[in-house]
């Protein structure tokens, strides 16, 4: 695993736990974790259960005993690491968004396609697909439980930047993060909407905005070690993004979607919500209540209509059989174990995992189209 921050902890949890609950066809060995600072990576290795620590990812991916590379670094290094690892014959799991630019994502998708011909697999870490309630929602829609999809409303709202005195981080630097709320959390909303409905966005019209344009610099952002400063740095990414989209049509009608990604939604901590309205019903999901789905059946008697709660904890629900008895809730971390399960099984079976790098490239093109549209006063912009 390359990277030792917040996502490093989450991915480590997934690699460590998945083999103990799922009967995997191959057994992952947590061989080495890589980060730039020796002290940091040594601590991470000991805390998260990695056998070794290293500071040079190039040396690690050249090793014969490494079969898979998990990339959890900031977006500016995804392309270089992923392409090198795939060329070296390593399977690759890469956190979302796939890259910082469409050109980088295209290079990664091309490398993944070439590697697939040699039996090497690549997957993007859109982990929320693997929340059991989300997978169940997709299955219900595919089975026709809400009829034809007509409208989608997706939002990812957080408030961790609402304090204008909050310090600069790498996530607020476009050269490292690629984009702000749009790419960081909006990418999840895009992938979730497309995954659950089984269709793709074809054009968008949006607006992005940076609300706080300068923030205090701390040691990390000044190349120092934790020292405070009176200096400020320029925020070069968006804080808020909103856009409307059209999905590929089914029978001539193109479903419409509305999307929001913001780090300024005061009081919202991790509110990823999705509601899909169909011709005969509707389904709604809220990540802050991730064991539940809301389902509306318009074909019920008018005396009984209304959204009802489905508690997604039964053994028959997706991913849940190896876990706890019904009613015993899962949490945020379980999606990473499900991600490991699916990726390892795809590698063992020699099948293309999903979301693939090609799917990650598509999301990157949607993000770029939203930015282009915002620059053109929210004009409709094709995803290409």
């Amino acid at each position: 695993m390359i990277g030792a921050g917040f996502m490093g902890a989450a991915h480590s949890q997934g690699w460590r736990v998945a083999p103990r609950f799922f009967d995997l066809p191959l057994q992952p060995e947590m061989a080495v974790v890589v980060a730039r600072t020796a002290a940091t990576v040594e601590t991470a290795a000991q805390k998260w259960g990695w056998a070794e620590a290293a500071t040079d990812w190039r040396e690690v991916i050249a090793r014969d005993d490494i079969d898979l590379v998990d990339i959890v670094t900031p977006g500016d290094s995804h392309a270089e690491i992923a392409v090198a690892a795939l060329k070296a014959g390593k399977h690759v799991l890469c956190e979302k968004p796939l890259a910082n630019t469409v050109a980088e994502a295209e290079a990664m998708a091309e490398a993944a396609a070439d590697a697939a011909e040699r039996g090497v697999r690549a997957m993007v870490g859109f982990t929320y697909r693997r929340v059991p309630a989300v997978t169940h929602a997709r299955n219900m829609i595919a089975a026709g439980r809400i009829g034809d999809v007509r409208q989608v409303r997706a939002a990812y709202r957080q408030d961790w930047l609402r304090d204008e005195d909050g310090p600069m981080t790498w996530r607020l630097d476009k050269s490292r993060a690629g984009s702000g709320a749009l790419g960081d959390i909006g990418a999840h909303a895009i992938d979730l909407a497309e995954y659950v409905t089984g269709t793709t966005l074809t054009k968008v019209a949006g607006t992005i905005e940076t609300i706080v344009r300068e923030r205090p610099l701390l040691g990390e952002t000044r190349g120092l070690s934790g020292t405070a400063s009176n200096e400020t740095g320029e925020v070069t990414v968006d804080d808020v993004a909103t856009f409307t989209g059209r999905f590929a049509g089914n029978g001539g009608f193109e479903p419409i979607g509305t999307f929001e990604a913001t780090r300024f939604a005061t009081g919202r901590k991790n509110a990823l919500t999705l509601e899909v309205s169909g011709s005969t019903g509707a389904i709604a999901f809220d990540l802050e209540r991730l064991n539940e789905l809301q389902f509306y059946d318009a074909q019920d008697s008018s005396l009984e209509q209304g959204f009802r709660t489905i508690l997604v904890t039964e053994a028959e629900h997706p991913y849940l059989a190896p876990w706890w008895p019904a009613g015993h809730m899962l949490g945020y971390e379980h999606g990473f174990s499900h991600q490991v399960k699916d990726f390892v099984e795809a590698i063992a079976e020699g099948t293309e995992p999903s979301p693939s790098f090609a799917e990650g490239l598509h999301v990157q093109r949607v993000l770029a189209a939203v930015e282009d549209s915002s620059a053109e006063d929210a004009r409709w912009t094709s995803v290409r």
Side-chain angles (χ1 to χ4, degrees):
M1 184 177 72
I2 303 172
F6 161 51
M7 274 296 105
H11 280 233
S12 296
Q13 168 83 358
W15 289 113
R16 189 171 61 249
V17 173
R20 290 164 172 80
F21 280 82
F22 294 94
D23 295 325
L24 300 182
L26 300 170
Q27 289 301 303
E29 297 178 2
M30 296 171 63
V32 56
V33 58
V34 184
R36 290 177 298 175
T37 306
T40 299
V41 75
E42 288 284 355
T43 300
Q46 294 175 18
K47 185 175 183 179
W48 298 337
W50 294 87
E52 297 177 40
T55 57
D56 189 334
W57 63 264
R58 292 174 180 83
E59 289 183 359
V60 171
I61 67 170
R63 287 170 42 169
D64 292 336
D65 64 330
I66 299 298
D67 303 305
L68 186 151
V69 175
D70 186 357
I71 304 169
V72 293
T73 58
D76 61 331
S77 59
H78 284 187
E80 182 183 12
I81 298 172
V83 170
L86 289 167
K87 288 182 176 179
K90 316 299 182 184
H91 306 292
V92 173
L93 173 62
C94 183
E95 255 303 322
K96 48 52 59 188
L98 186 60
N100 277 7
T101 67
V102 170
E104 289 176 349
E106 287 174 340
M108 294 171 73
E110 182 179 352
D114 291 343
E117 296 180 359
R118 295 178 276 115
V120 178
R121 306 299 165 188
M123 190 172 82
V124 189
F126 282 111
T127 321
Y128 294 133
R129 286 185 175 204
R130 274 129 182 139
V131 173
V134 169
T135 310
H136 188 51
R138 174 186 168 88
N139 294 345
M140 291 180 68
I141 291 173
R145 295 298 301 279
I146 67 168
D148 296 330
V149 172
R150 292 175 170 173
Q151 189 175 359
V152 179
R153 290 169 290 279
Y156 205 151
R157 293 169 290 168
Q158 300 175 339
D159 73 352
W160 63 277
L161 285 179
R162 64 180 178 80
D163 181 0
E164 63 186 34
D165 292 324
M168 280 287 294
T169 77
W170 67 265
R171 293 184 184 275
L172 305 181
D173 180 352
K174 189 175 181 64
S175 67
R176 297 198 68 195
S179 67
L182 176 62
D184 186 22
I185 55 180
H188 275 304
I190 293 164
D191 181 73
L192 205 68
E194 294 189 333
Y195 171 71
V196 168
T197 61
T199 186
T200 56
L201 287 162
T202 59
K203 58 183 178 181
V204 295
T207 300
I208 63 176
E209 182 60 73
T210 304
I211 294 176
V212 176
R213 298 180 179 273
E214 289 190 350
R215 289 185 175 273
L217 291 176
L218 296 182
E220 176 193 3
T221 46
R222 296 172 64 238
L224 304 175
S225 55
T227 58
S229 169
N230 292 324
E231 299 177 45
T232 61
E234 181 185 4
V235 175
T236 52
V237 300
D238 57 282
D239 292 326
V240 177
T242 62
F243 68 95
T244 304
R246 284 283 189 181
F247 292 86
N250 180 14
F253 176 72
E254 297 178 333
I256 194 166
T258 54
F259 294 80
E260 177 185 10
T262 176
R263 295 160 169 170
F264 277 75
T266 303
R268 300 296 181 185
K269 302 305 174 185
N270 202 37
L272 172 57
T273 58
L274 178 71
E275 184 170 333
V276 183
S277 301
S279 56
T280 62
I283 284 180
F285 169 76
D286 183 348
L287 183 64
E288 292 183 343
R289 303 180 68 89
L290 60 73
N291 293 278
E292 299 177 2
L293 278 180
Q294 299 295 313
F295 173 58
Y296 179 88
D297 190 343
Q299 300 176 96
D300 284 343
S301 163
S302 60
L303 299 177
E304 298 175 356
Q305 283 183 358
F307 276 93
R308 66 175 184 263
T309 300
I310 300 173
L311 187 63
V312 186
T313 63
E314 297 291 333
E316 295 81 8
H317 284 130
Y319 298 105
L320 282 161
W323 294 110
W324 320 120
H328 291 68
M329 308 302 182
L330 298 194
Y332 169 77
E333 72 278 8
H334 289 82
F336 295 93
S337 294
H338 302 157
Q339 178 172 260
V340 167
K341 169 191 178 295
D342 287 347
F343 195 30
V344 170
E345 288 178 348
I347 291 170
E349 294 165 3
T351 57
E352 185 71 7
S354 182
S356 65
F357 275 22
E359 291 172 276
L361 169 59
H362 166 75
V363 172
Q364 202 76 43
R365 287 172 170 159
V366 175
L367 298 175
V370 173
E371 288 200 65
D372 290 346
S373 173
S374 180
E376 295 292 330
D377 295 325
R379 294 179 183 175
W380 282 108
T381 302
S382 296
V383 175
R384 55 190 176 187

